[in-house]
Amino acid sequence: MAEKYIISIDQSTQGTKALLFDESGSLIKRTDKSHEQIINDKGWVSHNPSEIYKNVIEVVKKLTDDIERIKVVGVGISNQRETSLAWDKVTGEPFGNAIVWQCSRAVDICERVENMGKAEDIRRKTGMNLSPYFPASKIAWILENIEGAKEKADRKEICHGTIDSWLVYKLTDGKSYKTDYSNASRTQLFNIFDLKWDEEICGLFGIDSENMAEVCDSDSCFGETDFEGILPHKVPIHSVLGDSHGSLFGQGCLKPGMTKSTYGTGSSIMMNIGETPVLSTHGVVTSLAWSMGGKVNYVLEGNLNYTGAVITWLKDDLKLIQSPGETETLAKEAVQDDSLYLIPAFSGLGAPYWDSRAAAAMVGMTRTTGKAEVVRAGVECIAYQITDIAKAMSEDAGVKVKELRVDGGPTRNKYLMQFQSDIADAVVQVPDSEELSGIGPAYAVGLALGVWDDNIFGKLNRIKYEPKMEREIRDKKYTGWKTAVHTVLTN
């Protein structure tokens, strides 16, 4: 059989990666390019969608420069999920910049909907607490504030949604306006029980459900592309997954109770709960993991705005470190009894607190607090936040998280991984690849096209961290964290 290649596009908050897999499922090459983080004086966070698409084309060109491009047989896409945008259905031109998932500019729209008394109705249909984190209010903000958008929407000449829909549309020359179940379930506009756009909820946000993308199985064919002539033939885009869902799939968390955490700019902690949804009563949300082969799987999930981004803040804003790698050494050098906690509520707090107006703070400074202690608090706040969510999911699902499969750049930090295992009292498994959000859609493409079978999930090797901290110390540290968090909550 002739050699085959699969391309996976991982479009994330900080940049765009293109990954090349051979027919054995091995990742053989990666190219990437960052895009501008547009932050104004109000703290609004935006991305230029045209720049993102241009970067997709550029990284694919570099990825395939030294292979026989005719051997590429399929493409998968993973994407930063809640980042939202709108574009002209006729011209393909975006209405301004995309609103990044971190951005809470639409908080007033959420408060307006809450004042209608509809927040609980929305949660019961979508599995999500009303929040500016999700695309519903972001799309509403675009329609209300960007010139020409509402008029185009009224004429049904608009497309709006998440980055996956934008890339599918552009890569197929406007022929395909689609999204998958994983991304649809994150919009706060999709009824996860009826599996369709909810007209009533869309109406609450001033959105016409007919303008939303067609929702498809995550492993279906979303159209064909040749990346603007880079490939000598068109190939199918045969999977689309939100990045966290892609990671869950790539980690092989295919059975109920299996849990993963992605450490990126923010973090997504997911537990597969099978084919029956469970509405959370502990501050996390219920979403769709994916729909493949016509079968839907659900997840419990908690999202954090600032995890890896805390390390970026330590480096770029406080200038306490020159590279993320320094955090491990400094964390080990810090005074062990220092009681400093960093609560990274730079744009409010997500799960399980859901307080958009909470402000960041350092709590518990003493005379021994210095550079190393601040850096360690920054590292440890990542593990504390993830433990908050793991505990909430355990309560909802009625099962303790005994194993956490993790991925993302910060998993290289051995101090963080051991502290995560200690504070969560769970085994932490780190795969030998950081590219799980891109591996997931690649695996889905290969399975859909028959390039490989389910044995592909056994391909990853893993490093294991086991809890070593004494229970008394763990309880003291975690209680201190909870006390510190409550000093910044406004609700």
Side-chain angles (χ1 to χ4, degrees):
M1 182 173 64
E3 189 175 25
K4 296 178 180 178
Y5 296 113
I6 285 173
I7 293 173
S8 181
I9 307 298
D10 183 10
Q11 204 300 295
S12 68
T13 308
Q14 298 296 325
T16 301
K17 303 173 191 173
L19 309 173
L20 187 68
F21 295 81
D22 65 18
E23 63 188 38
S24 75
S26 296
L27 173 57
I28 59 175
K29 188 177 179 182
R30 162 187 160 175
T31 55
D32 56 90
K33 186 172 184 179
S34 60
H35 55 261
E36 182 183 5
Q37 305 298 310
I38 306 167
I39 304 174
N40 70 6
D41 55 5
K42 297 179 181 179
W44 294 357
V45 189
S46 306
H47 290 161
N48 182 336
S50 297
E51 180 190 10
I52 287 175
Y53 174 66
K54 179 183 176 183
N55 287 355
V56 168
I57 299 301
E58 186 172 326
V59 294
V60 168
K61 184 178 186 306
K62 291 180 181 177
L63 185 78
T64 58
D65 272 346
D66 53 1
I67 66 165
E68 293 182 62
R69 290 170 170 159
I70 192 68
K71 294 180 179 179
V72 175
V73 297
V75 178
I77 294 173
S78 64
N79 59 286
Q80 50 168 322
R81 296 177 302 168
E82 292 82 7
T83 296
S84 306
L85 73 160
W87 65 96
D88 191 306
K89 185 179 287 189
V90 179
T91 66
E93 288 298 311
F95 288 99
N97 289 323
I99 303 176
V100 178
W101 55 270
Q102 292 168 307
C103 185
S104 58
R105 76 182 71 174
V107 63
D108 291 341
I109 293 175
C110 286
E111 290 178 351
R112 185 175 72 204
V113 173
E114 185 171 13
N115 290 337
M116 298 177 190
K118 295 294 185 179
E120 181 58 17
D121 289 345
I122 291 172
R123 190 186 75 86
R124 290 189 176 277
K125 288 182 175 183
T126 68
M128 297 174 174
N129 297 309
L130 182 61
S131 171
Y133 180 94
F134 300 114
S137 60
K138 296 183 192 302
I139 294 171
W141 191 95
I142 292 171
L143 294 176
E144 293 177 18
N145 291 277
I146 302 298
E147 184 178 356
K150 183 65 168 64
E151 290 74 15
K152 283 288 185 178
D154 291 342
R155 295 199 296 269
K156 293 183 170 50
E157 295 178 355
I158 199 170
C159 299
H160 43 50
T162 43
I163 293 291
D164 59 304
S165 296
W166 165 248
L167 293 182
V168 167
Y169 180 92
K170 294 291 287 183
L171 289 170
T172 61
D173 299 318
K175 295 182 177 68
S176 183
Y177 176 38
K178 297 179 179 181
T179 190
D180 89 299
Y181 280 87
S182 71
N183 280 290
S185 73
R186 299 297 300 176
T187 61
Q188 203 157 64
L189 297 169
F190 192 75
N191 189 311
I192 63 172
F193 300 93
D194 296 341
L195 300 179
K196 64 181 182 181
W197 299 118
D198 192 287
E199 292 185 16
E200 180 183 3
I201 296 176
C202 287
L204 291 173
F205 289 95
I207 296 167
D208 186 342
S209 62
E210 293 185 21
N211 286 331
M212 299 298 294
E214 178 186 353
V215 184
C216 304
D217 277 1
S218 308
D219 60 350
S220 63
C221 182
F222 289 78
E224 295 186 327
T225 185
D226 60 7
F227 295 101
E228 296 192 355
I230 291 172
L231 300 181
H233 60 302
K234 289 186 180 295
V235 298
I237 302 171
H238 228 304
S239 77
V240 168
L241 287 160
D243 52 10
S244 295
H245 310 255
S247 172
L248 189 75
F249 192 72
Q251 286 274 24
C253 294
L254 309 180
K255 297 178 181 179
M258 298 184 76
T259 306
K260 73 90 198 178
S261 177
T262 296
Y263 296 71
T265 304
S267 283
S268 160
I269 303 87
M270 276 187 174
M271 175 188 285
N272 190 325
I273 56 173
E275 297 178 40
T276 304
V278 175
L279 283 178
S280 172
T281 58
H282 292 84
V284 295
V285 302
T286 307
S287 298
L288 293 167
W290 48 68
S291 178
M292 296 196 184
K295 182 183 292 187
V296 169
N297 270 46
Y298 289 88
V299 290
L300 290 173
E301 180 178 6
N303 297 100
L304 304 170
N305 291 354
Y306 279 83
T307 51
V310 173
I311 307 303
T312 303
W313 175 72
L314 292 172
K315 179 173 70 74
D316 294 346
D317 296 278
L318 295 192
K319 302 190 186 305
L320 294 179
I321 56 174
Q322 293 183 334
S323 70
E326 295 176 37
T327 59
E328 185 175 336
T329 300
L330 285 167
K332 292 177 179 177
E333 291 175 354
V335 174
Q336 293 303 303
D337 293 332
D338 188 85
S339 57
L340 183 67
Y341 293 93
L342 169 63
I343 300 90
F346 298 106
S347 55
L349 287 173
Y353 304 104
W354 297 107
D355 190 342
S356 299
R357 297 192 182 279
M362 288 187 187
V363 177
M365 283 189 286
T366 69
R367 185 63 185 84
T368 64
T369 300
K371 172 181 174 179
E373 288 69 35
V374 172
V375 170
R376 188 178 69 181
V379 172
E380 290 183 347
C381 80
I382 298 173
Y384 282 124
Q385 291 180 95
I386 287 168
T387 300
D388 280 341
I389 291 174
K391 287 180 177 293
M393 291 192 302
S394 293
E395 291 289 331
D396 284 323
V399 56
K400 185 181 187 299
V401 176
K402 296 181 179 179
E403 177 188 277
L404 194 60
R405 297 189 176 189
V406 302
D407 56 83
T411 62
R412 290 193 297 264
N413 188 316
K414 294 182 178 65
Y415 180 90
L416 172 59
M417 291 297 96
Q418 185 59 56
F419 188 76
Q420 182 70 79
S421 177
D422 288 337
I423 209 68
D425 193 22
V427 174
V428 171
Q429 294 212 25
V430 185
D432 57 1
S433 174
E434 298 173 8
E435 310 296 349
L436 270 297
S437 55
I439 287 173
Y443 282 5
V445 172
L447 289 166
L449 295 177
V451 177
W452 44 64
D453 58 26
D454 287 346
N455 291 324
I456 194 69
F457 293 106
K459 193 169 185 65
L460 295 175
N461 297 313
R462 302 177 188 274
I463 300 170
K464 183 185 293 187
Y465 293 83
E466 296 183 356
K468 296 179 180 178
M469 187 179 288
E470 294 179 10
R471 179 175 179 177
E472 183 180 349
I473 297 174
R474 177 190 304 119
D475 291 346
K476 179 182 178 181
K477 286 181 174 290
Y478 189 65
T479 299
W481 163 257
K482 297 294 283 188
T483 301
V485 170
H486 279 84
T487 66
V488 307
L489 296 179
T490 65
N491 55 18

